[in-house]
């Protein structure tokens, strides 16, 4: 923890428990609706970390209008995780 820059450290401390809980609970349930809600939270908290991080590669913040939710991607191409193959290309890069 002492090697983290202060702004990253502060955000990490704010989101760590929620990130851990969301990831754990996504893996524990087979209920897709619960998984979607947990993924929304996980994505929002990860975005908070990304904003204060210094990545050398781009990270795209993408949006699903049907879920009114975002996710992060290493690709600019939309691959919507909320609806899978049903609406894989639905969404936009924010």
């Amino acid at each position: 923890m002492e090697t983290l820059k202060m702004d990253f450290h502060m955000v990490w401390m704010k989101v760590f428990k929620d990130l851990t809980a969301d990831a754990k609970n996504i893996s524990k349930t087979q209920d897709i609706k619960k998984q979607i809600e947990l993924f929304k939270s996980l994505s929002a908290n990860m975005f908070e970390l990304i904003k204060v991080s210094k990545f050398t590669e781009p990270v795209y913040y993408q949006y699903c209008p049907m879920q009114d939710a975002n996710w992060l991607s290493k690709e600019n191409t939309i691959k919507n995780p909320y609806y899978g193959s049903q609406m894989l290309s639905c969404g936009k890069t924010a």
Side-chain angles (χ1 to χ4, degrees), residues 56-69:
T56 57
E57 296 179 27
V59 177
Y60 298 95
Y61 191 55
Q62 298 179 327
Y63 177 73
C64 173
M66 301 293 288
Q67 284 290 326
D68 190 27

Side-chain angles (χ1 to χ4, degrees), residues 34-67:
K34 286 182 183 176
Q35 288 177 331
I36 286 171
E37 290 307 311
L38 292 164
F39 185 69
K40 287 179 186 181
S41 174
L42 182 115
S43 294
N45 286 316
M46 285 299 297
F47 182 62
E48 292 302 313
L49 286 173
I50 293 293
K51 288 191 302 187
V52 296
S53 299
K54 307 291 186 244
F55 279 91
T56 57
E57 296 179 27
V59 177
Y60 298 95
Y61 191 55
Q62 298 179 327
Y63 177 73
C64 173
M66 301 293 288
Q67 284 290 326

Side-chain angles (χ1 to χ4, degrees), residues 61-65 67-71 78 80 90-94:
Y61 191 55
Q62 298 179 327
Y63 177 73
C64 173
Q67 284 290 326
D68 190 27
N70 297 87
W71 74 94
I78 300 294
N80 189 326
C90 179
K92 65 181 181 177
T93 299

